[in-house]
Amino acid sequence: MHDLPTDWTALCALVFLLGMRHGFDADHLATIDGLTRLTRRRGGAFARWCGALFSLGHGAVVLLIAALVGSASAQWVPPEWVDGFGTGVSIAFLLGLGVVNLRAVLAAAPGELVAPVGLKGRWLGRLAQARSPLGVAGVGALFALSFDTLSQSALFAATATQFGGVGRALVLGGLFVTGMLVTDGLNGWWIARLIARADQIAVVASRVMGAAVAGVSLLVAALGIARWTSPVVEAWTEGRELAFGTTVLMVIALGYGLALWLARRARPMTTP
């Protein structure tokens, strides 16, 4: 909590960026990928909306946490160990997701689409195979019942109440959900387009995006470890949260742009 900006506008901007970055988590990408493919295979007309539906379900839990923490903030303050433990859990997940997604890119056979690899989806089993829009939103809600999401939402809400009660907590929760909705919604649309193409362009694009997601996961984890273990790095990064959040989003955006550029270069190779 002490690393978050003390200015309300800066805090709002940071939480929105963190919501967008949260939407690029490999677990989100992998689950939305699977839901979109499954829905399209079953002939569901809402396949391209799976990302947005997943995000709305996820966001409903985030807003509920914001309301609960905002209401109880006068009597309850998160213990200091929550911040450190949450950081450790996040770093561990980012390292794991980065490694497995990098392996997926390197191990993919020529001409094979690279699907994102997640960890949480495996815990849900058949529950992750939703058959309706409400079911997809339900999967998103289940994904929010994890320590990293719960602790992050609680810390944002507790910080927001310093500026004026539960209303401010809900504002921050709404900004986080909006940022997540943007990236999850775009991801669902992107996956639906890749599935519809299923050609060399889709193969190239999926590999580049897979490598970008793996690289971002590993880099963010490395920065977290450096801040955690080095007071010098922690002091240097203090006050630069907005810059780091923007950089992460720019890396993903550049990966998306590079995927499109390489895909266009690959187009003549597929023309008879």
Side-chain angles (χ1 to χ4, degrees), residues 120-236:
K120 297 177 185 176
R122 300 177 185 179
W123 302 343
L124 297 180
R126 295 184 64 84
L127 290 175
Q129 300 181 16
R131 296 177 177 271
S132 66
L134 185 61
V136 174
V139 173
L142 289 174
F143 260 66
L145 300 177
S146 60
F147 183 84
D148 55 342
T149 302
L150 293 175
S151 61
Q152 193 173 43
S153 303
L155 288 173
F156 288 156
T159 304
T161 55
Q162 300 174 12
F163 295 90
V166 66
R168 293 297 182 104
L170 288 174
V171 168
L172 282 194
L175 288 170
F176 185 84
V177 172
T178 302
M180 182 175 58
L181 180 61
V182 170
T183 49
D184 280 344
L186 286 175
N187 178 54
W189 173 82
W190 165 259
I191 294 298
R193 283 182 59 86
L194 289 185
I195 296 171
R197 296 195 64 95
D199 56 7
Q200 181 65 17
I201 294 176
V203 170
V204 173
S206 69
R207 289 175 184 271
V208 174
M209 284 302 295
V213 169
V216 166
S217 296
L218 293 174
L219 286 173
V220 173
L223 178 61
I225 293 173
R227 291 189 62 181
W228 207 6
T229 57
S230 172
V232 175
V233 175
E234 183 177 10
W236 178 77

Side-chain angles (χ1 to χ4, degrees), residues 190 201 204-206 208-209 254-264:
W190 165 259
I201 294 176
V204 173
S206 69
V208 174
M209 284 302 295
L254 288 173
Y256 178 82
L258 179 61
L260 294 179
W261 180 74
L262 291 175
R264 292 192 184 100

Side-chain angles (χ1 to χ4, degrees), residues 13-25 28-29 175-184 186 245-246 248-250 252-253:
L14 176 62
V15 169
F16 178 76
L17 288 176
L18 289 175
M20 294 186 70
R21 196 214 64 79
H22 188 70
F24 279 121
D25 278 356
H28 281 227
L29 299 179
L175 288 170
F176 185 84
V177 172
T178 302
M180 182 175 58
L181 180 61
V182 170
T183 49
D184 280 344
L186 286 175
T246 304
V248 168
L249 295 179
M250 287 180 63
I252 294 291

